């Protein structure tokens, strides 16, 4: 159909972090400032908060890697998606809490020039039920 072949990120339920932006935790986990980051692939860039988040003052990881605004065109890229959940207890959660979902889907986009299911042969007459 002339569109780029890709995967589409479909966010699920998620919440913003509860820690204040100036808290010790958030200073060391600045990747929480945005839900979505994209960086060119580099083998050493593995952890969004940096290698040793408990041993640095903050700003490592994704904030440091994106500071120089490196080009993404013609590069292998890494999509960093941050999501989370909080549980605010309700009366219905006691004594057994029901399920809480959070997450995302990666959906194929632009892989086919037509719906591949349209090429399915018709059912064999012996398998059809008639009323």
């Amino acid at each position: 159909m002339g569109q780029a072949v890709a995967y589409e990120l479909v966010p699920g339920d998620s919440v913003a972090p509860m820690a204040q932006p100036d808290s010790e935790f958030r200073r060391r986990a600045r990747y929480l400032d945005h839900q979505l980051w994209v960086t060119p692939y580099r083998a050493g860039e593995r952890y969004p908060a940096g290698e040793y988040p408990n041993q640095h003052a903050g700003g490592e990881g994704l904030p440091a890697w994106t500071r120089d605004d490196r080009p993404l065109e013609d590069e292998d890229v890494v999509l960093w998606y941050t999501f989370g959940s909080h549980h605010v207890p309700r009366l219905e959660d006691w004594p057994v809490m029901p399920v809480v979902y959070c997450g995302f889907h990666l959906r194929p986009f632009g892989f086919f020039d037509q719906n591949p299911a349209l090429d399915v042969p018709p059912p064999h007459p012996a398998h059809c039920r008639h009323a």
Side-chain angles (χ1 to χ4, degrees):
M1 304 300 296
Q3 299 169 333
V5 174
Y7 284 93
E8 177 181 36
L9 174 71
V10 182
D13 292 338
S14 188
V15 295
M18 293 182 78
Q20 295 297 315
D22 60 346
S23 68
E24 187 73 20
F25 172 77
R26 286 286 295 275
R27 278 197 303 273
R28 294 177 181 186
R30 282 291 170 218
Y31 68 91
L32 293 174
D33 292 351
H34 305 285
Q35 277 191 299
L36 187 69
W37 303 74
V38 180
T39 61
Y41 172 77
R42 300 294 182 269
E45 296 177 357
R46 300 180 298 172
Y47 308 110
E51 289 285 326
Y52 303 102
N54 293 335
Q55 298 174 1
H56 65 69
E60 299 294 321
L62 283 167
W65 306 333
T66 57
R67 193 172 297 125
D68 294 333
D69 198 22
R70 297 176 292 181
L72 300 173
E73 193 170 330
D74 297 323
E75 293 278 343
D76 289 333
V77 296
V78 178
L79 180 80
W80 304 83
Y81 178 61
T82 303
F83 62 94
S85 68
H86 298 301
H87 176 232
V88 178
R90 308 170 303 149
L91 187 59
E92 293 84 0
D93 295 341
W94 192 89
V96 177
M97 183 181 151
V99 175
V100 174
Y101 294 99
C102 78
F104 63 93
H105 294 279
L106 288 176
R107 184 167 47 194
F109 186 86
F111 278 73
F112 302 104
D113 58 0
Q114 65 183 13
N115 186 333
L118 295 179
D119 192 26
V120 176
H124 189 275
H127 297 143
C128 294
R129 296 177 110 172
H130 299 287

